[in-house]
């Protein structure tokens, strides 16, 4: 074998052996260790010295050779010397280290880089175990003259790995043609480990520069050189360290390796000479000098073979004369140091390195190359290559045993583990501090953030991320294990106080013992509310569903109070199938741009065509001039051609939602507002309109006699509406009244022609020209305290008899707020808001039409505007009507919560134009 090659290629190829050496034993020499960054320091270069040949380059393997070698172990077989050299390269060598650093410079994280390094260390240990299982002698090369104590930890890791994988290695070589001892111990003998240290130039022999201090006295005993004294000191240090750590024991068969008891096992390579030319000439002179036992006669046959073998195993050494040694013992060369151990192997004497009182001899076997290659190939497939299908299962099991190395090799990870394990209880304590028994996701995240901050202050190292994830999992398990609060919020923006639970199905009873428990939502919030008509109050739970808030509570009170009252029912969904489905959610659209939704196969009705033909600027919400005129008591006829809401003949009313064909298959899952699809109705109405009695049921001197009203705040506001009527003596004024757009004055203002005015129009007016209605906006807070309001910032307060004097004009012509601060605030700093709950309308018994059109806006535009299922509702005359507003408002995006303390109340309002008055034309004479 002239050139070195990868061990895998050597085992797969057929080596043609010389017939003279074929049946002789083979000594396997392994070279491991580290290399320095200086040129000529790689471990492979030592083979050039040992074999006296230029086998490896001066600077080690080329990059191309190393990449094409395909393995970490290089082999060179010297048949004439019967020595097989195995050189292990790893990340401890400078070339492999640089290549590994280049592969890790791609910006990977700290944990990923650490895992990559630890993976390389584990593979290095597995390759070391492979060499310890096949070699007779191992040479550990170190670039300095100081022993690296990390080798102790490395060898203990390899020994632990050997004990774990020994049954697997036995199974791999059980069919090999080797001795029983080799099969049991999985190695030809306990290998002997030798140490080679490199001199760094600080210690050199200086005997050639000084004179003999004894004056040439040959009888004085010679002292060892400084290099030999260093070798003896290193031997004592290495042996003491390995014995103390139990790497070396008395019985060599139980150890990973042995060291000789009576031979040198440490060699220090001398530093470079000061004159490199003289060093080369001296080496050349020593190699070319004839030995004393050399003869000029040619020898043939077996004697020639023995002579060649002797000359190869006993090379000439550069032995200095005694005159140059200065009285010191002569140091041997590296080859002489190594060959005394190799000779023991080739002569089949073996190693007797056991010590103690009863030393037991260890097994020893000197195999031929064919036997050794057979065993080496099987172990190579199991431990390194993993390309054979038959040994694939054993290879996987061997790789799984590498976890035993973590406790030996990963010291920084072990430190990081200890630090993170100490920081984890501190983080847990921080998370659980000041926690209620049940808490929400927001509290959980806040506490977890505090715990992670404490954890990051104490945790260090590569295990930081793994234990941070464990902290996440532990905190989540603690929270979800009986401490998770129900995340549902009520319609008043209060959390449910129960822990995580399930809602009962229809007809199912609550069950506390179930895991998770089956309960209804409860925020422990209670308030006092009134019924639809306002005559009865009762406590109510904080609602979580819109039906419970706007329908169920009032239905419960209706059975006790206002169930027999006359009412106007708003249209709701009427199913035509036994299992109706809710309508699919659509994006909110403004009523001006929302296209009408028609059922499949139907044609647009005449009302829809008429509605589409009406311009968008004439919507009821924007006809401010019309509502203003009517609220002031003026007739719609007085507006001339601009009065499109009058009851005159030839004018057709604008169709509303009621005129449309409502769906009987899909219902609206919520409340009706401006962004809902047309043609859909909810299952229940959130509004209520009941009649308390005739108009005379309200006494303006006593006010509303209902519970909960603050003193003096239960009086409705008067609303004087001018009615147009004709008498027999007013026939001559027809042309004046009908001739053009004459304006009618507002209440409390003098009429033209009255009390000595220029015109005589007021002299013949009758008393029933003005009809008085009453209007009241009732607000109610959570404690059941009620009051009427006469404006956005004013509460009705009547102290004396006679009722309220302020007219309702201001309240009707402005946007009334939906929420106002309650005038009866408590002692706390928190504001209590009162919500618009009802609208009272006293319709007189007169030729008067009062149209009801409530519109509630929650938020700044553009936003949804809530309205009942029927708009433009004309109230019948002679009645005291009560419109109950919804308790809560919900859109398809979720509930509209009441305003907080820092939110403006002006965005929550009832749009003006809620009431309009029109004169009803009398029946024509027959």
């Amino acid at each position: 074998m002239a050139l070195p090659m990868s061990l895998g290629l050597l085992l797969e190829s057929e080596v043609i052996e010389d017939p003279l050496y074929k049946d002789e034993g083979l000594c396997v020499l392994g070279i491991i260790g580290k290399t320095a960054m200086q040129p000529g320091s790689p471990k492979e270069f030592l083979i050039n010295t040992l074999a006296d040949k230029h086998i490896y380059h001066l600077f080690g393997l080329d990059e191309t050779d190393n990449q094409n070698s395909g393995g970490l172990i290089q082999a060179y077989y010297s048949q004439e010397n019967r020595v097989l050299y195995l050189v292990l390269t790893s990340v401890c060598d400078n070339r492999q280290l640089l290549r590994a650093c280049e592969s890790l410079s791609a910006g990977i994280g700290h944990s990923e880089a650490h895992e990559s390094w630890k993976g390389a260390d584990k593979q290095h240990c597995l390759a070391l175990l492979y060499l310890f299982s096949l070699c007779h002698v191992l040479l550990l090369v170190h670039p300095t003259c100081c022993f690296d104590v990390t080798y102790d930890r490395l060898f203990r890791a390899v020994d632990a790995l050997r004990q774990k994988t020994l049954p697997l290695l036995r199974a791999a070589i059980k069919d090999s043609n080797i001795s029983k001892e080799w099969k049991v111990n999985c190695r030809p003998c306990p290998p002997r480990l030798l140490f080679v240290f490199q001199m760094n130039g600080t210690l050199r022999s200086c005997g050639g520069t000084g004179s003999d201090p004894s004056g040439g006295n040959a009888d004085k005993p010679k002292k060892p050189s400084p290099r030999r004294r260093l070798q003896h000191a290193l031997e004592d240090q290495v042996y003491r360290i390995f014995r103390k750590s139990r790497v070396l024991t008395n019985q060599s068969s139980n150890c990973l390796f042995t060291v000789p008891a009576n031979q040198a096992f440490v060699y220090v390579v001398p530093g470079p000479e000061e004159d490199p030319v003289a060093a080369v000439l001296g080496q050349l002179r020593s190699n070319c000098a004839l030995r004393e036992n050399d003869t000029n006669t040619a020898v043939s046959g077996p004697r020639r073979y023995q002579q060649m073998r002797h000359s190869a195993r006993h090379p000439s050494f550069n032995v200095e004369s005694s005159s140059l040694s200065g009285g010191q013992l002569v140091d041997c060369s590296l080859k002489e140091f190594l060959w005394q151990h190799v000779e023991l192997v080739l002569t089949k004497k073996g190693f007797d390195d056991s010590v103690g009182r009863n030393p037991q001899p260890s097994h020893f076997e000197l195999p031929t190359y064919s036997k050794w290659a057979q065993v080496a190939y099987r172990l190579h497939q199991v431990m390194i290559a993993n390309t054979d299908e038959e040994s694939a299962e054993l290879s996987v099991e061997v790789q799984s045993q590498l976890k035993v190395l973590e406790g030996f090799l990963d010291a920084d990870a072990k430190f990081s583990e200890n630090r993170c394990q100490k920081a984890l209880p501190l983080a847990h304590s921080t998370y659980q501090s000041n926690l209620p028994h049940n808490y929400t996701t927001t509290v959980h995240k806040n506490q977890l953030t505090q715990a992670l901050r404490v954890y990051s202050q104490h945790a260090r190292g590569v295990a930081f991320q793994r234990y941070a994830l464990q902290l996440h999992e532990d905190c989540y398990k603690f929270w979800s294990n009986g401490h998770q609060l129900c995340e549902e919020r009520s319609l008043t923006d209060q959390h449910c106080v129960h822990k995580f639970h399930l809602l009962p199905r229809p007809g199912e009873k609550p069950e506390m013992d179930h895991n998770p428990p089956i309960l209804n939502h409860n925020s422990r919030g209670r308030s006092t509310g009134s019924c639809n008509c306002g005559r009865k109050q009762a406590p109510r739970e904080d609602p979580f569903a819109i039906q419970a808030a706007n329908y169920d509570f009032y239905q419960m009170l209706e059975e006790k109070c206002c169930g027999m009252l006359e009412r106007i029912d708003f249209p709701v969904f009427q199913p035509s199938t036994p299992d109706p489905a809710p309508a699919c959610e659509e994006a909110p659209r403004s009523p001006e741009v929302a296209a009408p939704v028609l059922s499949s196969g139907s044609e647009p009705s005449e009302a829809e065509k008429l509605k589409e033909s009406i311009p968008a600027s004439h919507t009821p919400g924007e006809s401010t001039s019309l509502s203003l005129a009517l609220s002031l008591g003026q007739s719609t006829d007085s507006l001339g051609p601009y009065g499109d809401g009058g009851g005159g003949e030839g004018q057709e009313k604008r169709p509303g939602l009621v005129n449309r064909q409502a769906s009987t298959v899909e219902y609206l899952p919520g409340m009706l507002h401006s962004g809902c699809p047309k043609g859909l109705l909810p299952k229940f109405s959130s509004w209520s309109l009941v009649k308390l009695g005739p108009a005379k049921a309200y006494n303006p001197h006593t006010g509303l006699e209902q519970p909960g009203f603050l003193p003096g705040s239960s009086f409705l506001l008067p609303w004087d509406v001018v009615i147009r009527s004709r008498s027999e003596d007013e026939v001559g004024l027809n042309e004046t009244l009908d001739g053009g757009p004459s304006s009618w004055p507002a209440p409390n203002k003098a009429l033209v022609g009255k009390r000595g005015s220029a015109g005589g129009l007021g002299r013949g007016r009758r008393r029933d020209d003005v009809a008085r209605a009453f209007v009241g906006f009732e607000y109610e807070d959570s404690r059941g305290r009620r009051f009427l309001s006469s404006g956005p910032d004013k509460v009705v307060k009547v102290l004396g008899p006679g009722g309220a004097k302020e007219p309702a004009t201001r309240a009707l012509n402005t946007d009334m707020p939906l929420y106002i601060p309650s005038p009866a605030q408590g002692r706390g700093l928190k504001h209590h808001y009162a919500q618009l709950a009802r609208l009272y309308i006293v319709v007189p018994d007169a030729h008067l039409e009062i149209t009801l059109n409530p519109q509630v806006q929650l938020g700044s535009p553009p936003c949804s505007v809530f309205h009942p299922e029927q708009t433009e509702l004309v109230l019948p005359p002679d009645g005291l009507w009560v419109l109950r507003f919804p308790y809560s408002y919900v859109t398809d995006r979720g509930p509209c919560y009441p305003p907080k303390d820092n939110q403006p109340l002006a965005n929550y309002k009832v749009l003006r134009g809620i009431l309009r008055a029109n004169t009803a034309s009398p029946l024509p004479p027959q």
Side-chain angles (χ1 to χ4, degrees):
M1 181 177 176
L3 294 176
M5 65 174 61
S6 171
L7 179 61
L9 297 177
L10 175 64
L11 297 177
E12 293 176 358
S13 61
E14 295 182 2
V15 178
I16 302 177
E17 294 190 87
D18 194 333
L20 298 176
Y21 315 132
K22 186 174 182 180
D23 296 332
E24 288 198 8
L26 175 72
C27 176
V28 184
L29 175 63
I31 301 178
I32 60 176
K34 302 178 181 180
T35 55
M37 299 299 294
Q38 290 85 7
S41 61
K43 301 188 291 285
E44 300 89 351
F45 188 62
L46 295 177
I47 301 180
N48 297 345
T49 304
L50 298 176
D52 290 331
K53 292 183 180 180
H54 186 69
I55 300 171
Y56 287 93
H57 298 289
L58 180 61
F59 301 100
L61 288 175
D62 294 336
E63 293 296 327
T64 56
D65 297 338
N66 202 1
Q67 292 176 2
N68 298 331
S69 61
L72 297 177
I73 301 177
Q74 296 292 315
Y76 174 72
Y77 183 21
S78 179
Q79 295 191 27
E80 62 273 11
N81 294 332
R82 304 305 296 161
V83 177
L84 176 62
Y85 300 95
L86 301 179
V87 183
L88 174 63
T89 58
S90 63
V91 290
C92 299
D93 300 290
N94 48 16
R95 296 186 308 277
Q96 295 289 342
L97 181 62
L98 291 176
R99 188 174 296 109
C101 292
E102 289 176 358
S103 63
L104 293 178
S105 62
I108 64 175
H110 180 59
S111 299
E112 291 81 0
H114 180 266
E115 291 297 328
S116 178
W117 286 116
K118 293 301 111 179
D121 289 342
K122 291 178 181 179
Q123 296 302 321
H124 181 219
C125 290
L126 196 59
L128 282 176
L129 178 60
Y130 180 77
L131 292 183
F132 278 111
S133 302
L134 292 174
C135 295
H136 298 92
V137 180
L138 283 110
L139 198 62
L140 191 148
V141 182
H142 195 66
T144 65
C145 57
C146 297
F147 178 68
D148 190 356
V149 294
T150 58
Y151 283 120
D152 175 68
R153 178 166 48 90
L154 178 63
F155 291 146
R156 284 190 288 115
V158 176
D159 191 16
L161 180 62
R162 179 176 179 270
Q163 299 299 328
K164 286 288 185 180
T165 58
L166 198 58
L168 302 175
L169 301 182
R170 289 169 182 167
I173 64 174
K174 64 181 179 179
D175 298 333
S176 301
N177 187 18
I178 54 178
S179 63
K180 182 180 179 181
E181 289 79 8
W182 194 345
K183 292 181 180 179
V184 172
N185 295 280
C186 295
R187 56 186 180 180
C189 69
R192 178 173 284 186
L193 184 63
L194 307 178
F195 298 86
V196 176
F197 296 92
Q198 304 246 349
M199 184 76 73
N200 54 7
T202 57
L203 296 176
R204 294 181 182 177
S205 177
C206 55
T209 59
S211 60
D212 188 2
S214 60
N217 188 4
D219 296 334
K220 187 175 182 180
K222 297 178 181 181
K223 61 180 180 180
S225 64
R227 184 159 60 94
R228 178 167 293 187
R229 292 198 297 268
L230 176 62
Q231 291 175 172
H232 293 168
L234 288 174
E235 285 182 356
D236 296 339
Q237 182 185 16
V238 170
Y239 186 78
R240 190 165 53 247
I241 290 174
F242 286 155
R243 286 286 294 185
K244 190 172 184 179
S245 62
R246 304 291 297 174
V247 175
L248 294 176
T249 59
N250 291 339
Q251 304 300 328
S252 61
S253 59
N254 299 330
C255 301
L256 178 66
F257 60 87
T258 63
V259 293
N262 52 6
Q263 286 179 289
F265 60 89
V266 172
Y267 183 81
V268 178
V269 178
E273 297 290 341
E274 294 182 0
D275 188 1
V277 177
V280 172
L281 292 177
Q283 185 70 21
L284 182 62
R285 188 183 303 111
S286 64
N287 292 336
C288 296
L290 293 176
R291 303 178 181 89
E292 296 178 356
N293 55 355
D294 288 344
T295 59
N296 296 328
T297 59
V299 182
S300 62
R303 186 178 177 185
R304 177 180 179 273
Y305 161 69
Q306 295 292 339
Q307 183 178 353
M308 292 177 58
R309 179 176 176 183
H310 179 79
S311 63
R313 297 181 182 175
H314 299 280
S316 60
F317 302 107
N318 186 13
V319 182
E320 299 177 353
S321 61
S322 60
S323 62
L324 298 177
S325 61
Q328 296 179 349
L329 296 175
V330 179
D331 297 329
C332 63
S333 64
L334 175 62
K335 190 170 185 179
E336 183 182 5
F337 162 77
L338 180 61
W339 229 258
Q340 59 180 335
H341 304 280
V342 174
E343 191 69 27
L344 294 176
V345 177
L346 293 177
T347 56
K348 299 184 180 181
K349 293 181 180 180
F351 306 132
D352 189 11
D353 296 332
S354 297
V355 295
R357 295 181 179 179
N358 299 314
Q360 297 180 0
S362 58
H363 71 283
F364 178 83
E365 185 169 347
L366 184 64
T368 61
Y369 176 78
S370 59
K371 289 185 178 181
W372 180 89
Q374 182 184 7
V375 178
Y377 177 77
R378 295 188 178 183
L379 292 181
H380 191 270
Q381 291 295 325
V382 172
M383 303 174 68
I384 297 179
N386 191 18
T387 57
D388 192 0
E389 296 181 358
E390 297 179 358
S391 59
E393 184 177 355
L394 288 176
S395 178
V396 172
E397 294 181 3
V398 169
Q399 293 292 332
S400 64
Q401 298 297 331
L402 294 180
K403 60 183 179 181
V404 74
L405 302 174
E406 295 178 357
F408 297 96
L409 300 180
D410 215 352
D412 47 355
K414 193 173 182 179
F415 168 77
S416 179
E417 292 263 353
N418 294 334
R419 290 295 305 171
C420 295
Q421 287 177 0
K422 291 181 179 180
L424 209 57
L426 298 177
H428 288 161
S429 177
T430 303
Y431 175 81
Q432 298 177 14
S433 62
N434 300 326
L435 272 181
H437 188 269
N438 300 106
Y439 49 94
T440 61
T441 305
T442 304
V443 178
H444 164 70
K445 291 181 178 180
N446 292 337
Q447 292 295 109
L448 183 59
T449 303
Q450 298 295 331
L452 287 174
R453 183 179 293 109
V454 173
Y455 171 78
S456 61
Q457 291 175 354
H458 297 84
R460 294 293 183 273
V462 295
F464 181 90
Q465 190 67 22
R466 180 160 54 89
Y467 279 90
L469 295 177
Q470 182 179 345
L471 178 61
H472 273 271
E473 295 176 359
D474 293 345
C475 294
Y476 180 78
K477 288 180 181 179
F478 178 83
W479 176 49
S480 59
N481 189 16
H483 298 279
Q484 187 174 359
L485 187 67
C486 178
E487 296 292 330
E488 192 68 22
R489 304 174 74 92
S490 68
L491 297 179
T492 59
D493 201 16
Q494 298 185 34
H495 273 288
C496 176
V497 297
H498 293 312
K499 62 181 181 180
F500 181 78
H501 63 95
L502 301 178
L503 289 176
R505 298 177 180 177
E508 186 179 6
K509 295 182 179 180
E511 187 176 353
M512 287 290 298
D513 298 334
H514 192 270
N515 189 19
I518 301 176
L519 297 171
N520 290 309
H521 293 300
N522 186 10
S523 66
R524 292 181 183 172
R526 296 175 64 90
S527 59
T528 302
S530 304
C531 62
N532 287 329
C533 62
R535 295 182 300 179
K536 187 174 183 61
Q537 288 186 317
R540 67 181 303 168
E541 299 289 340
D542 192 13
F544 283 81
I546 190 64
Q547 183 173 352
N550 296 340
Y551 185 76
D552 293 344
F553 172 75
Y554 300 104
Q555 286 296 111
M556 179 189 66
L557 293 181
E558 189 172 337
E559 300 176 356
K560 304 177 182 179
C561 177
C562 44
M564 303 301 295
L565 295 179
E566 182 182 351
R567 68 185 62 247
I568 297 179
D569 294 326
F570 293 102
V572 294
F573 172 72
Q574 301 295 332
S576 61
T577 57
D579 51 349
C584 298
E585 295 183 0
E586 295 184 1
R589 296 178 296 178
S590 61
E592 289 80 14
V593 299
V597 179
L598 301 177
S599 59
S600 59
S602 61
E603 296 293 335
S605 61
E606 294 295 331
E608 294 168 354
K609 295 180 181 179
L610 179 61
K611 185 173 183 179
E612 293 176 359
S613 63
I614 298 177
S617 59
H618 285 247
T619 56
E622 297 181 359
S623 301
T624 54
S625 60
L626 176 62
S627 59
L628 177 61
L630 293 178
S631 61
L632 293 176
Q634 299 173 358
S635 173
T636 55
D637 293 342
S638 63
L639 297 178
Y642 301 100
D644 60 347
E649 297 180 1
Q651 288 185 345
E652 188 173 359
K653 291 185 178 181
R654 181 180 176 183
L657 184 61
V658 174
N659 304 116
R660 300 181 55 85
Q661 182 73 24
S663 175
T664 59
V665 179
E666 292 181 335
Y667 62 88
L668 184 67
M671 294 181 62
L672 192 64
H673 55 85
S674 59
C676 293
K678 299 299 177 66
L680 295 178
L681 293 175
K683 281 188 172 182
F684 58 91
S685 178
S686 299
W687 307 72
S688 173
L689 183 59
V690 297
K691 181 179 179 181
L692 280 176
K696 62 182 180 180
Y698 172 73
N699 187 356
H701 298 282
T702 59
L704 295 175
E705 297 179 354
Q706 294 182 359
F709 277 98
L710 298 178
S713 63
S714 61
F715 293 88
L716 303 182
L717 303 178
W719 183 25
D720 293 336
V721 181
V722 177
I723 303 175
R724 185 179 182 185
S725 62
R726 303 188 179 195
S727 57
E728 295 179 356
D729 55 349
E730 291 178 345
V731 178
L733 299 177
N734 288 340
E735 296 180 357
T736 306
L737 292 175
D738 298 335
S742 54
S743 300
W744 289 80
N748 299 332
K749 290 188 178 181
L751 296 177
V752 179
K754 200 172 184 178
R755 293 184 182 180
S757 59
L761 184 62
R763 289 189 177 93
R765 186 170 300 280
R766 297 178 354 191
R767 285 185 171 270
D768 57 354
D769 288 345
V770 177
R772 170 161 289 187
F774 291 91
V775 178
F777 291 88
E778 179 205 330
Y779 289 83
E780 184 177 14
D781 62 6
S782 59
R783 301 182 182 181
R785 292 170 295 196
R786 307 160 63 187
F787 57 91
L788 296 177
S789 175
S790 59
D793 53 354
K794 188 173 183 181
V795 179
V796 173
K797 191 69 174 179
V798 178
L799 299 178
K805 305 299 182 181
E806 185 177 358
T809 308
R810 179 189 177 192
L812 293 176
N813 292 337
T814 57
D815 296 335
M816 291 296 289
L818 188 62
Y819 299 95
I820 61 175
S822 177
Q825 294 289 336
R827 297 180 179 179
L829 298 178
K830 184 179 180 180
H831 292 283
H832 292 277
Y833 292 115
Q835 180 180 349
L836 180 61
R838 289 164 195 84
L839 175 65
Y840 294 89
I841 313 105
V842 177
V843 182
D845 186 10
H847 298 294
L848 183 66
E849 289 183 356
I850 295 182
T851 304
L852 179 65
N853 186 25
Q855 293 180 342
V856 180
Q857 175 181 319
L858 286 85
S860 56
C863 63
S864 300
V865 177
F866 294 87
H867 55 82
E869 291 77 14
Q870 181 178 357
T871 57
E872 304 292 336
L873 184 63
V874 178
L875 299 177
D878 191 18
L880 173 56
W881 294 93
V882 181
L883 174 67
R884 193 257 306 163
F885 285 82
Y887 181 78
S888 298
Y889 298 86
V890 175
T891 64
D892 50 358
R893 298 181 180 178
C896 301
Y897 295 118
K900 304 293 183 182
D901 293 340
N902 56 351
Q903 292 180 344
L905 301 179
N907 294 332
Y908 302 82
K909 55 189 175 182
V910 178
L911 302 181
R912 55 185 172 181
I914 187 172
L915 291 177
R916 297 200 311 272
N918 298 328
T919 56
S921 300
L923 294 176
Q926 299 294 333

